[in-house]
Amino acid sequence: APNNERARTGFVRRVMTSALPSGAVVGISTFVSYLLTYPGRDGTAVEQTQASTAALITLLIGALWVLAVVARPYQWWRVGLVATSVVGYLVIFSLPLAREKFMLDPSDVTATGIAVLIGMLAAVLIEASWWIQGRLLGEPRLLWR
């Protein structure tokens, strides 16, 4: 997108103070989701697929929230970008052909519920980190332009 702002020093610091906490939250939450839903080596192939699907759901929720934070301050096209991502993820999980091709099985309500809860917790942590980062760096946080 066009950007008329003047370049400021500290680009790498600003990027790292955002990317590292968000990446850690997404990575750890995805791993925890997988660990909580993984049946172990003795689990069936279906149970292992459901655990992998749960981990992916958690990853997608966290990654979507990172996108929503990075897209701020919102403008109509940025909201459209985030909405398009949501629709794309829903399509992948809705179409039987896509579920088959990507080896997804969200049918275990418990595993999917755990994944969504952990993903929502990740979103809350990413959101909090964005506000805290703004405070620490002395940068005002704007939701809309």
Side-chain angles (χ1 to χ4, degrees):
N3 186 354
N4 297 328
E5 290 182 29
R6 291 189 56 146
R8 296 181 293 157
T9 59
F11 172 77
V12 173
R13 178 174 164 245
R14 286 192 310 276
V15 168
M16 294 310 269
T17 56
S18 176
L20 288 177
S22 296
V25 167
V26 171
I28 290 169
S29 63
T30 300
F31 187 64
V32 167
S33 177
Y34 185 72
L35 285 179
L36 291 177
T37 57
Y38 181 62
R41 289 186 293 194
D42 297 333
T44 66
V46 170
E47 290 171 327
Q48 291 175 355
T49 300
Q50 290 169 341
S52 296
T53 302
L56 179 64
I57 290 169
T58 302
L59 174 73
L60 292 177
I61 292 171
L64 180 66
W65 206 262
V66 169
L67 176 63
V69 166
V70 170
R72 294 175 186 165
Y74 294 130
Q75 295 172 332
W76 70 268
W77 64 270
R78 290 179 178 183
V79 172
L81 174 70
V82 174
T84 301
S85 295
V86 170
V87 169
Y89 297 148
L90 292 175
V91 165
I92 289 171
F93 281 92
S94 299
L95 297 177
L97 180 63
R99 282 198 312 259
E100 181 184 330
K101 288 291 179 193
F102 293 116
M103 295 186 293
L104 302 174
D105 184 0
S107 65
D108 183 347
V109 177
T110 303
T112 301
I114 289 170
V116 169
L117 285 174
I118 294 172
M120 296 305 287
L121 176 60
V124 167
L125 292 173
I126 291 164
E127 183 71 22
S129 135
W130 185 72
W131 288 101
I132 292 168
Q133 175 196 10
R135 251 230 189 164
L136 293 176
L137 295 177
E139 296 176 351
R141 295 301 191 186
L142 300 172
L143 293 178
W144 293 93
R145 186 174 300 221

